[in-house]
Amino acid sequence: MVTTLESVLVPLAGNKAGVSVDNPLAGRTIGLKEPLCGSPSIRFYTDNFNVNEFVELLSASTTFLKFVVGEIGKTVYFLDVDLIPKSVCSEACHPGCRKVVRQGESVCCFDCIPCSDGEVSNGSGICIKCPEDYWSNTEKDLCIAKYIEFLSYEDPLGTSLAAIAVVFSLMPVGVLCIFIKHHDTPVVKANNREVSYFLLISNLLCLLTALIFIGPPKDETCIFRQPAFGIFFSICVSAILAKTVTVVIAFNATKPGSRLKNLVGSKTSFFIIFCCLLLQFILCIIWLSVSPPFSETDKKLPEKTVIQCNEGSVLMFYCMLGYLGILATVSLLIAFLARNLPDSFNETKFITFSMIVFVTVWLTFIPAYVSTKGKYMVAAEIFAILSSSIGLLLCIFSPKCYIIIMRPEMNTRGYIVRQ
């Protein structure tokens, strides 16, 4: 019988499937099997390691009958431990574990397995489900409050999207200032100057709409944000449709005997905008009257409670999006057919590109919106709003601004006559 081992470090780590005895003298690790959800941590270190003291510590928390004590040189030492018979078959389960009776054995013989997520145990061997607003900690011995999730301005994602919305909202303001300063030049006057101003203002409102989606969802913001998004984008796309129709009417009005001369002008364009906007406005009124959006709390998700806006009627939400898609598709088709009309500043080519960007963004948004939850669902819609608004602005107005600022010699009546 060995009584001492020099410089032996004995760690007994609880809640692990195995415990090792590190013997520096032999340079090896000798394994000891310990049951799952086992004894608490025990650390024992001394220059003169006493086997009997180690056995006393080990037998107080385990049911081993034989284990390896250590190894010196080529000799392996085994120690037989005769434990005092216990009145129970299995030790009591530790907090975070529950009892599972072994098949074919006595009721007092059981295994201890960890509780499921969302459940805790205080050592009684029975797992109890946490309340709806709480979730289990890592050790599954305590219920802790779920964290609240929504897209806030303090969140890095919310801060980034808000900063992008604010920065890019300065672009339509800058373009509008350039157009007002050069309002009598051919580039600005082409394709209906007043509608261009109206389109820039509506594009600004579309970009600022993204800010309504950030922050704690309340009934007031939930009711307002989706209809505002639908109406502002309807104005924007309707203005683009009006500009496209104006190009077609203006070209056909130059033909001899054409009766379309009376339709050339801003009145026809604003009439088109009004009619297109009226249908979207009626859809939103019906939506808010029948089943308006509202704020709700989703407590079914693990570890977190999500505060979000319930759209009320999902059908009306997709009807609003569908109507925007119809307007964009009609604008795309008309602009594509009129792209080769002989006009010095024919912008239908750029409108075609802008509508392709718009339709692509929102077709991509729908599966992303359906497949996400919580703040990421809101972030997906904000991203679609920003990217489509910026796409419209860049595709339609960047070529005009380039001519006005970088190529002013092209922005003259004499240049047009020579062309």
Side-chain angles (χ1 to χ4, degrees):
M1 174 68 71
V2 179
T3 56
T4 60
L5 289 174
E6 297 274 330
S7 303
V8 177
L9 180 64
V10 183
L12 293 178
N15 297 328
K16 292 184 179 179
V19 176
S20 62
V21 177
D22 187 11
N23 186 351
L25 298 178
R28 284 192 178 185
T29 298
I30 303 170
L32 294 178
K33 184 179 180 183
E34 186 174 354
L36 192 66
C37 296
S39 60
S41 299
I42 300 175
R43 182 173 289 275
F44 184 87
Y45 178 82
T46 178
D47 290 337
N48 295 316
F49 178 70
N50 189 288
V51 174
N52 293 327
E53 292 181 11
F54 172 60
V55 171
E56 183 178 350
L57 286 171
L58 193 62
S59 61
S61 57
T62 63
T63 56
F64 302 124
L65 295 180
K66 179 180 284 189
F67 54 89
V68 178
V69 171
E71 178 179 333
I72 301 179
K74 296 182 179 180
T75 305
V76 179
Y77 296 92
F78 292 89
L79 180 64
D80 291 322
V81 182
D82 295 325
L83 300 178
I84 301 173
K86 292 181 170 57
S87 59
V88 294
C89 176
S90 303
E91 296 288 339
C93 293
H94 290 277
C97 298
R98 64 183 178 89
K99 299 177 182 178
V100 176
V101 180
R102 299 171 187 166
Q103 293 184 355
E105 298 188 28
S106 175
V107 200
C108 62
C109 296
F110 51 83
D111 295 318
C112 297
I113 64 173
C115 293
S116 302
D117 292 336
E119 297 180 346
V120 295
S121 171
N122 58 3
S124 61
I126 301 174
C127 294
I128 303 172
K129 190 169 183 173
C130 292
E132 198 175 27
D133 293 331
Y134 291 81
W135 193 254
S136 58
N137 61 354
T138 307
E139 293 76 19
K140 294 186 174 63
D141 59 357
L142 181 66
C143 288
I144 55 177
K146 292 181 178 180
Y147 68 91
I148 307 297
E149 181 186 272
F150 60 87
L151 188 63
S152 64
Y153 285 99
E154 290 76 20
D155 189 290
L157 181 60
T159 304
S160 303
L161 292 173
I164 293 172
V166 172
V167 170
F168 279 95
S169 65
L170 300 176
M171 291 179 60
V173 175
V175 175
L176 183 61
C177 292
I178 293 173
F179 272 43
I180 292 175
K181 183 178 180 181
H182 301 85
H183 66 281
D184 285 329
T185 59
V187 170
V188 177
K189 293 169 69 175
N191 304 118
N192 207 323
R193 174 177 53 192
E194 289 76 14
V195 176
S196 295
Y197 295 162
F198 193 73
L199 176 57
L200 287 169
I201 295 173
S202 62
N203 187 270
L204 171 63
L205 295 175
C206 290
L207 287 167
L208 294 178
T209 302
L211 299 178
I212 308 175
F213 289 79
I214 306 175
K218 300 177 182 178
D219 288 340
E220 298 80 11
T221 55
C222 290
I223 290 175
F224 179 70
R225 68 183 193 180
Q226 294 292 7
F229 148 70
I231 289 174
F232 290 149
F233 264 90
S234 293
I235 296 173
C236 193
V237 180
S238 300
I240 294 174
L241 177 60
K243 289 173 72 68
T244 309
V245 172
T246 300
V247 174
V248 177
I249 292 176
F251 175 75
N252 288 283
T254 58
K255 296 179 181 180
S258 176
R259 298 181 180 179
L260 296 176
K261 292 182 180 180
N262 297 328
L263 299 178
V264 177
S266 59
K267 290 184 179 180
T268 302
S269 300
F270 283 107
F271 178 76
I272 294 173
I273 295 173
F274 175 77
C275 292
C276 295
L277 174 61
L278 182 62
L279 291 175
Q280 184 72 289
F281 184 77
I282 292 173
L283 277 176
C284 291
I285 292 297
I286 295 174
W287 182 8
L288 296 180
S289 302
V290 175
S291 180
F294 58 92
S295 175
E296 70 171 0
T297 303
D298 186 1
K299 301 179 180 180
K300 299 178 181 178
L301 298 174
E303 299 182 355
K304 61 184 178 181
T305 298
V306 177
I307 303 177
Q308 60 188 3
C309 286
N310 188 313
E311 307 306 345
S313 175
V314 179
L315 175 63
M316 295 303 298
F317 173 70
Y318 284 107
C319 284
M320 181 192 71
L321 283 182
Y323 182 71
L324 282 177
I326 292 172
L327 290 178
T329 303
V330 173
S331 300
L332 174 61
L333 291 175
I334 297 176
F336 180 78
L337 294 174
R339 70 190 186 282
N340 294 323
L341 292 180
D343 189 354
S344 298
F345 298 107
N346 184 8
E347 61 181 353
T348 53
K349 293 180 180 179
F350 307 121
I351 291 177
T352 302
F353 292 136
S354 67
M355 287 296 98
I356 290 175
V357 171
F358 184 88
V359 173
T360 302
V361 167
W362 287 104
L363 285 178
T364 308
F365 157 76
I366 293 175
Y369 185 83
V370 172
S371 61
T372 53
K373 294 289 183 183
K375 66 178 183 180
Y376 298 105
M377 181 176 66
V378 179
E381 185 167 0
I382 294 175
F383 178 79
I385 291 172
L386 295 178
S387 55
S388 58
S389 301
I390 295 168
L392 294 178
L393 182 67
L394 294 179
C395 290
I396 296 176
F397 291 100
S398 57
K400 294 175 180 287
C401 292
Y402 172 77
I403 293 175
I404 293 173
I405 298 173
M406 305 301 296
R407 301 291 301 275
E409 70 279 2
M410 296 176 62
N411 192 18
T412 60
R413 185 177 180 81
Y415 178 84
I416 297 175
V417 172
R418 288 195 302 271
Q419 292 298 314

